[in-house]
Amino acid sequence: MGESQRSSRSTVLLLAMMIGTLFNLFHPHPGAVALVGVSAAAFLVRERARLAPGIRRITLALGAITLLLLPFAASPAQSLGKGIAIGGLMVSLISSVTLMARAALAAPQTGVVAHHLLATGMRSRYLLVSLACQLFGGLMGLAGVSMLMNMASRGEVLVEEDRLSMLAAIMRSFAAATMWSPMFSNVTILLALYPGLSWSTVVPLCLAMAASSILLGTLLEMRRLRHRTLASPLPMPRAPLYRALLPMLLAMAIFLAAVIALAHALQVAVVAGIVLLIPFAVLVLHALQAQGPTRLAQARQRLREDYQKLPALAGEVALFMAAGCGGTVIAGAIPQAWTSAIGAAFATSPYLACLALIAIVIGLAFLAVHPVLTVVLVATALPPAMLDLPVTVHMAAMLVAWGVASYATPFSMIALMVHRYSGYSVTAVTVNLNRGFALIYLGLAILCLGTIATVLRSSG
């Protein structure tokens, strides 16, 4: 069988997962979940050669644990179905965002913005890089973050401490973007765990937590540079920044507005709007970048080629499906008496409850437990009602913990990306670089979320 034919058939299986996920979002049905599960299993069997040895071991171990504990879950079929649905959501989202990222990275405006960032002075660079990460991350997901990593690793600096500062800005801002942007799986996963909660409901609090992270990092960076005599910034590129930045901001705003409007009109999750609209958005981007009278034909061909490259996401598919199913099944198998006792101990204070949620997630991250598995497990085993926390506060605490774990623990994906681009050790760019910032930010987050929960309790 030729490689092209094999890739085409695997792409069909991925599309079947996305179709099953969309159908389940519009009309929840066991048949749609079964389509997602069968398609995922067939896809992973076909693409098993693409799985890295480490990912293969992790997914096999999680799969074995899931099967062993499934008979002991309170509702085995429901727990497994919920895990498959969560895995399908994540796979559909990352597949769609990957399509968008490939088209956006090819735009000439992206390079212009990157060159302007390198030409800014050090006193303003942390803030500008952080804001750029919100833009690129919010629009292009991990592909945008990867582009900024590459830029930071190659830019000239007087001392290596300044390069570490740029990397820290990207890592922390990436974590902040995952708290609000629907282009990342973090918000999508947690919304799937909180029935009745919508993205528009939680985004104000999530944006506030993201903004506080960027503000705190900027203040600490200003403190670091307070006694430094800095060299003059590099000459700015000839191409004006606004000509590159404004179209990107406008495109992002229009796309997100269209996604939210569609999701609201159809009464479905935001991820459904993303999956439905991204193919059309990518087609438009490819058409704008094409030349000649056959622009639309070229755009359709490039979109078809982008879809045929999606089987390269086999590792992500394996991890997402294993973590989704493992988290829900393991949580269902934990005796109710255990979780009730833990919940009762921490429910005495909203500050203590937020601290417990965050500490468990970060603690398991230091033990190399995959964050998707951790978040699904903790959010399912210790739901908001058990800890007497408002749902929005509970979700925000999980997002804060997940974000901090991504840049302050050595076993995260973003830490491996920084190590690969910069050459620094994983420990140097996580624990050593971010421990002070992480402790301050976590303290402020717990104080803020605990206060909000207290006010909501008293007003309710």
Side-chain angles (χ1 to χ4, degrees):
M1 184 185 299
E3 184 64 28
S4 177
Q5 186 179 6
R6 179 183 182 85
S7 178
S8 297
R9 293 185 177 181
S10 295
T11 302
V12 170
L13 290 171
L14 270 180
L15 288 173
M17 291 182 62
M18 297 169 73
I19 291 171
T21 298
L22 285 173
F23 190 90
N24 192 56
L25 287 172
F26 282 97
H27 301 286
H29 191 276
V33 176
L35 175 61
V36 174
V38 171
S39 301
F43 173 84
L44 292 175
V45 169
R46 290 181 60 84
E47 298 296 332
R48 59 188 180 279
R50 293 183 187 261
L51 301 180
I55 292 178
R56 189 181 295 115
R57 287 193 295 269
I58 291 173
T59 53
L60 287 175
L62 272 177
I65 293 172
T66 301
L67 291 176
L68 287 173
L69 293 180
L70 186 60
F72 301 98
S75 303
Q78 184 178 356
S79 296
L80 184 61
K82 187 176 182 180
I84 292 173
I86 291 173
L89 275 174
M90 291 186 285
V91 171
S92 300
L93 180 64
I94 194 172
S95 299
S96 301
V97 171
T98 299
L99 294 175
M100 175 72 86
R102 288 198 179 104
L105 285 174
Q109 291 88 350
T110 302
V112 173
V113 174
H115 287 128
H116 272 274
L117 286 176
L118 285 176
T120 57
M122 283 305 302
R123 293 196 187 279
S124 58
R125 187 175 295 183
Y126 183 99
L127 176 60
L128 292 178
V129 168
S130 297
L131 295 176
C133 194
Q134 296 295 298
L135 169 64
F136 289 121
L139 178 62
M140 296 181 285
L142 277 174
V145 178
S146 177
M147 185 204 71
L148 290 172
M149 289 284 186
N150 185 49
M151 176 202 71
S153 64
R154 291 188 291 110
E156 295 183 4
V157 292
L158 294 178
V159 293
E160 285 303 304
E161 185 180 338
D162 293 339
R163 191 185 309 281
L164 285 169
S165 171
M166 290 179 65
L167 294 172
I170 296 171
M171 296 174 75
R172 297 165 188 171
S173 186
F174 157 77
T178 63
M179 294 185 63
W180 65 266
S181 174
M183 303 300 282
F184 294 102
S185 60
N186 302 42
V187 175
T188 301
I189 294 170
L190 286 170
L191 286 176
L193 295 172
Y194 301 96
L197 201 61
S198 65
W199 180 78
S200 58
T201 303
V202 301
V203 73
L205 179 57
C206 293
L207 279 173
M209 300 306 297
S212 65
S213 172
I214 295 173
L215 177 61
L216 174 62
T218 302
L219 292 175
L220 292 178
E221 178 67 4
M222 292 171 62
R223 181 177 180 273
R224 182 182 75 87
L225 298 172
R226 66 188 186 280
H227 298 310
R228 282 269 301 274
T229 301
L230 301 177
S232 301
L234 298 173
M236 286 290 180
R238 291 183 178 179
L241 177 61
Y242 73 91
R243 289 186 181 177
L245 192 57
L246 287 181
M248 297 182 70
L249 290 172
L250 183 62
M252 181 179 178
I254 291 174
F255 177 76
L256 289 179
V259 165
I260 295 169
L262 181 63
H264 180 73
L266 299 178
Q267 294 298 304
V268 292
V270 171
V271 66
I274 292 174
V275 175
L276 286 171
L277 289 182
I278 274 185
F280 300 101
V282 172
L283 194 64
V284 171
L285 285 174
H286 282 327
L288 291 174
Q289 295 166 20
Q291 297 179 350
T294 60
R295 285 188 170 190
L296 190 56
Q298 294 178 51
R300 287 197 298 265
Q301 179 60 30
R302 290 187 63 182
L303 180 60
R304 187 179 300 110
E305 292 171 356
D306 288 342
Y307 269 108
Q308 290 179 342
K309 294 175 182 177
L310 288 181
L313 298 173
E316 285 83 351
V317 175
L319 281 176
F320 286 156
M321 296 303 299
C325 295
T328 54
V329 171
I330 294 172
I334 297 176
Q336 183 69 26
W338 296 4
T339 55
S340 297
I342 296 173
F346 294 125
T348 54
S349 165
Y351 301 96
L352 186 60
C354 292
L355 173 62
L357 287 174
I358 291 172
I360 293 171
V361 172
I362 295 178
L364 290 174
F366 269 107
L367 297 177
V369 180
H370 195 277
V372 175
L373 173 63
T374 302
V375 168
V376 174
L377 173 61
V378 174
T380 305
L382 297 173
M386 186 176 291
L387 294 174
D388 196 19
L389 282 178
V391 179
T392 52
V393 172
H394 191 281
M395 180 178 178
M398 298 298 291
L399 285 170
V400 167
W402 193 346
V404 172
S406 69
Y407 59 75
T409 64
F411 301 107
S412 68
M413 176 180 57
I414 194 71
L416 294 175
M417 285 177 62
V418 177
H419 165 68
R420 185 171 69 249
Y421 279 112
S422 67
Y424 297 114
S425 70
V426 172
T427 305
V429 296
T430 53
V431 180
N432 296 348
L433 181 61
N434 291 300
R435 60 191 176 194
F437 173 87
L439 288 174
I440 297 173
Y441 178 64
L442 287 177
L444 292 174
I446 292 169
L447 180 63
C448 174
L449 294 175
T451 301
I452 293 173
T454 302
V455 172
L456 292 176
R457 276 184 181 180
S458 60
S459 61

